[in-house]
Amino acid sequence: MGVSNFNVRHIEELVAAGLPLPHADQIELHPWSQKPEIVRFLEDNGIAPIAYSSLVPLSTWRAAPGHASGKTDEMRADGESGDSPFKVMAAKHEVSEARVLLRWGCRAGTRCCPRAPTRRGFGRTRTGDPVNNA
């Protein structure tokens, strides 16, 4: 069983009610949203954190008309900047920005659940440049 967007209080409510702990909690995790307190709590309790929206820092993430996004203007500007740390690292390692962000999640010990707006885009995320090279 898994849950989504549960915080410490939600998990404690499950315990208080005598319900089993979930095996995973899917939460928004990326360099701009690291949530160390909940990640530590989940890991301490044997619950796997699963990252969604791992690619939020990309300038192209939810940029199309009609795609809702909680990005602030500052986040948008940072993602579009030529000296964005993600663009700099991607160029240095000759990989995509998406690979840099997914590698960040892997190195943080998080399972990532990326999503692409098209089947073609998903194929690039899945089979493109190797994550281990980032």
Side-chain angles (χ1 to χ4, degrees), residues 28-33 52-62 69-72 75-76 79 86 101:
E28 182 177 349
L29 287 174
H30 49 77
W32 291 345
S33 179
Y52 72 78
S53 293
S54 304
L55 305 179
V56 163
L58 296 178
S59 60
T60 57
W61 188 84
R62 292 194 167 262
S69 170
K71 278 185 172 180
T72 64
M75 290 169 140
R76 283 190 212 315
F86 316 114
L101 291 165

Side-chain angles (χ1 to χ4, degrees), residues 8 43 81 122 131:
V8 172
E43 291 171 345
S81 170
F122 180 74
V131 172

Side-chain angles (χ1 to χ4, degrees), residues 18-95:
L19 297 170
L21 288 175
H23 294 282
D25 186 4
Q26 191 177 34
I27 55 178
E28 182 177 349
L29 287 174
H30 49 77
W32 291 345
S33 179
Q34 297 184 30
K35 300 182 174 101
E37 179 187 335
I38 183 65
V39 169
R40 188 172 24 262
F41 179 85
L42 294 171
E43 291 171 345
D44 288 349
N45 287 279
I47 302 168
I50 299 176
Y52 72 78
S53 293
S54 304
L55 305 179
V56 163
L58 296 178
S59 60
T60 57
W61 188 84
R62 292 194 167 262
H67 285 187
S69 170
K71 278 185 172 180
T72 64
D73 289 339
E74 183 180 359
M75 290 169 140
R76 283 190 212 315
D78 187 43
E80 293 169 1
S81 170
D83 62 349
S84 155
F86 316 114
K87 287 182 181 176
V88 170
M89 285 184 271
K92 177 181 177 182
H93 296 285
E94 298 179 340
V95 297

